[in-house]
Amino acid sequence: MVLFKKILTTFFNKNHMKTIFLIDILYMKDLNAIYDFKNGDFIIKQLKHILKNKTKELIKKELQRDIHIKIKNTHADVFEILLFDNLSIEEIKNVKNLIYENIVSNNFKLIKNHSTINIDVTIGCAKSNDKYIKIYAEKALSNAKLNFLHYMYYDSFLYKNESVNENLLDTLNHSIDNNIVEPYFQAIMDNTNDKIVKYEALMRIFDKNGQIIMPNIFIHKAKKCRLYNKLMEIMIDKIIIYILEHKIHVSINLDYTDILNPHIKKVLINKVKNNQVGEYLTLEILESEKVSNYDIVNDFINTIKKFGVKIAIDDFGTGFSNYENILNLNIDYIKIDGSLIKKIDEDIYLNLIKSIVLFSKQQNIKVVAEFVSDLKTLRYVKNIEIDYSQGYHIGKPMSIQELLEKRN
């Protein structure tokens, strides 16, 4: 009966949406050179066992549904995990994190040696309902490796028409020339009264067919082609227009390179000052290991706060997580990284989050929980008195038109 069910599931999903992860072991040639090929093969064998047993069960537990999963070793050092399911973007991120952490935290044994080593991997992901799904994932994997990232995801529609990807520069210019860079707004809820109090603005651009292109596809290309400043300026203009028209409170993401960028910094400060929208605006400074000069960050914060702008540290738990650095920054909010919130039901992570909340309250800093994807997580978040919640359970990113319809 179980075998029949699996066969039926596989047949039913043959032409339906599937999600694929390709996992490539980094520096495999170096491992073979240092530890010899027998140990290299032994490491691959161990990884195969981990993926087919522990990782597979963890994925099912994470998704909380019985889905068909196929795992195989496609090349010497590349593994494929194929899920016969249409995972949401948030579920893809959660599964990717699970796969990655499960591998890099494992101690791999060596033959005839009591010592162990750790390995690192790059992951490419895609989802599609056609036979080219693996090609899409391979291109994601290749681009991740070229850009020294441990993970990259691509929407399959970009590769159904190769010209969209090849002519991404044209698409960027099309969006700039036609002023169709748009902020999409994700709601942030006050946990004391369940009211939506502000929205995080997320950049979206569109191809000539009106298809949305996500930031992970175009941001790197925009920066490389020196078009990022124009995209940011259009988005800031749009956000200010929406604030003035609809009196909504909005958060804008900035990373360290944005703060170092004199053009973006000047444009942002002048527009906030001239339009007097500071009281409606929060700037979320992305946590990053690239931050090397906190004086520059603090100078920017102190300048922009003169106009009533609030400051948040985004993704707390990954880069700025030295409490001493936080004490030296004049901030209003801490946004706890989603990788911690999604594990809030585990004691070790719950205690870590509690310590962040306690520290924040002592410093009179409000706390926002990201990745609140279900009611269970929201209950945990409220129980430990986190001030605000954001995530798919609260609301998905939406256009200004959708936002206004929802408000009305």
Side-chain angles (χ1 to χ4, degrees), residues 177-361:
D177 293 343
N178 292 278
N179 203 40
I180 52 174
V181 181
E182 281 290 333
Y184 267 48
F185 299 94
Q186 186 169 30
I188 299 173
M189 185 181 79
D190 186 331
N191 289 331
T192 61
N193 56 23
D194 290 349
K195 290 184 178 179
I196 304 303
V197 291
K198 67 172 68 177
Y199 302 88
E200 179 180 350
L202 305 164
M203 188 187 291
R204 300 290 186 264
I205 68 170
F206 302 83
D207 66 18
K208 293 177 182 179
N209 297 316
Q211 291 271 20
I212 292 178
I213 299 180
M214 304 296 279
N216 62 317
I217 304 295
F218 69 81
I219 288 291
H220 176 75
K221 183 77 170 180
K223 289 183 176 181
K224 189 176 180 181
C225 298
R226 305 297 188 268
L227 294 174
Y228 179 71
N229 289 358
K230 291 181 179 179
L231 294 175
M232 277 296 289
E233 190 166 353
I234 294 172
M235 191 169 99
I236 291 167
D237 282 338
K238 292 276 183 79
I239 289 169
I240 289 174
I241 289 169
Y242 297 147
I243 287 174
L244 292 172
E245 286 183 357
H246 310 294
K247 305 301 179 188
I248 55 175
H249 291 256
V250 180
S251 293
I252 300 176
N253 287 305
L254 296 177
D255 69 15
Y256 184 52
T257 55
D258 293 328
I259 293 172
L260 292 178
N261 187 317
H263 178 79
I264 291 176
K265 192 158 58 173
K266 183 180 177 181
V267 164
L268 184 58
I269 291 171
N270 286 341
K271 289 183 184 295
V272 170
K273 179 182 176 182
N274 295 336
N275 291 281
Q276 298 181 340
V277 293
E279 64 179 301
Y280 293 97
L281 204 58
T282 300
L283 298 182
E284 297 185 9
I285 301 175
L286 184 67
E287 268 205 277
S288 170
E289 294 175 358
K290 292 183 290 186
V291 178
S292 58
N293 191 325
Y294 287 91
D295 290 334
I296 291 175
V297 176
N298 220 12
D299 286 345
F300 170 74
I301 288 173
N302 290 331
T303 300
I304 199 75
K305 287 196 75 171
K306 291 176 184 176
F307 306 107
V309 176
K310 296 287 192 292
I311 300 294
I313 294 300
D314 198 9
D315 291 349
F316 186 80
T318 55
F320 271 109
S321 303
N322 184 326
Y323 287 123
E324 184 179 354
N325 292 333
I326 293 296
L327 290 172
N328 292 327
L329 295 174
N330 184 14
I331 66 170
D332 304 284
Y333 304 97
I334 282 176
K335 298 188 75 175
I336 301 176
D337 184 61
S339 65
L340 301 180
I341 295 298
K342 73 185 184 71
K343 296 178 180 177
I344 199 170
D345 59 343
E346 299 178 30
D347 287 344
I348 187 170
Y349 291 98
L350 180 60
N351 290 331
L352 175 58
I353 293 166
K354 282 180 177 179
S355 72
I356 295 171
V357 174
L358 178 61
F359 165 80
S360 300
K361 289 187 181 296

